[in-house]
Every structure is written in C-alpha cells, then in structure tokens.
Amino acid sequence: QVHLEESGGGSVQSGGSLRLSCAASGSTDRPYCLGWFRQAPGKEREGIACINWSGADTYYSGPVKGRFTISRDNAKNTLYLQMNMLKPEDTAMYFCAAGRLFTLNERHYNYWGQGTQVTVSS
C-alpha cells in the first residue's frame, strides 16, 4: 500500500510559478511511473506528466510541455512538479499518482493522492 499526499498548491497570477510536491509513504514497491494529473470543474481528469522510477524518462502532455517539469527524489520519497508560465486554463485540482506503466492513461495508476488546488488568475 502506498499513501500519496500533495502539497504546494495555491493561487497565483497568470505567468507565475508554483512547485507542487507529492510525498509518498508506506510500501517500498517501485511503481514503473509516477504521474501528475489534473481535473478542472466539469472536465475529465487529464494526465499531464509522468516519470519512471530511475527518473531518466519523462513524458508531458501537449498543454504543459515546455512549461512544467516533473522530477523525483527517491531518497526523500517525493515527486515534484515545477509549473512555470502558468495560465488561467491551468486552474484545476492536481493529483499525484503511482502507476504500473509509463503512460498518462489514468487506468494504469493504482494509487492516488487527495489533490491540491491550483488557481491561476488573470
């Protein structure tokens, strides 16, 4: 069993930056991929970034590529998402998750945090 807890969300103006963290505890199992997802009100949950166990491979969705950076610190059992050049359309609840495959498809993720809210104003 893995417990994930996000932090670092908040309110920021358009063009600003935030850094999200996801602390993992519990099982020492190594998921193939750790990912970040987001869900805006009335919209489906969207996979935006993932990183494999070694941290050597990353993948980003089109809307965030070039603006967001995913990273991990296995020694600290922590996943990060650095978000730069934030836009109002980035406003959403952000979730971290642990999955079995290197993919942004949420169906392959077994463990989820409760989410942290990010609000970007104009």
Side-chain angles (χ1 to χ4, degrees):
Q1 297 181 355
V2 177
H3 175 74
L4 304 173
E5 184 173 359
E6 303 92 340
S7 62
S11 297
V12 65
Q13 294 190 61
S14 181
S17 299
L18 286 173
R19 191 187 193 192
L20 305 184
S21 298
C22 174
S25 61
S27 176
T28 58
D29 290 346
R30 297 182 179 184
Y32 184 77
C33 191
L34 295 174
W36 285 99
F37 296 76
R38 67 184 182 185
Q39 187 169 26
K43 296 185 178 180
E44 295 183 350
R45 188 155 56 189
E46 171 192 19
I48 58 174
C50 63
I51 186 169
N52 72 344
W53 180 248
S54 70
D57 297 314
T58 58
Y59 184 75
Y60 300 92
S61 67
V64 310
K65 189 174 183 179
R67 299 189 297 121
F68 292 8
T69 302
I70 188 171
S71 61
R72 64 193 296 174
D73 187 336
N74 290 342
K76 297 181 179 180
N77 294 318
T78 302
L79 177 72
Y80 302 99
L81 184 68
Q82 178 66 46
M83 305 185 294
N84 298 324
M85 298 177 285
L86 283 162
K87 305 174 181 179
E89 51 262 47
D90 294 318
T91 295
M93 183 73 73
Y94 283 72
F95 303 87
C96 65
R100 295 175 285 107
L101 298 174
F102 187 67
T103 178
L104 292 179
N105 189 334
E106 68 175 51
R107 71 179 297 176
H108 298 294
Y109 286 78
N110 305 111
Y111 303 99
W112 295 83
Q114 293 299 306
T116 185
Q117 179 67 39
V118 172
T119 302
V120 185
S121 60
S122 300

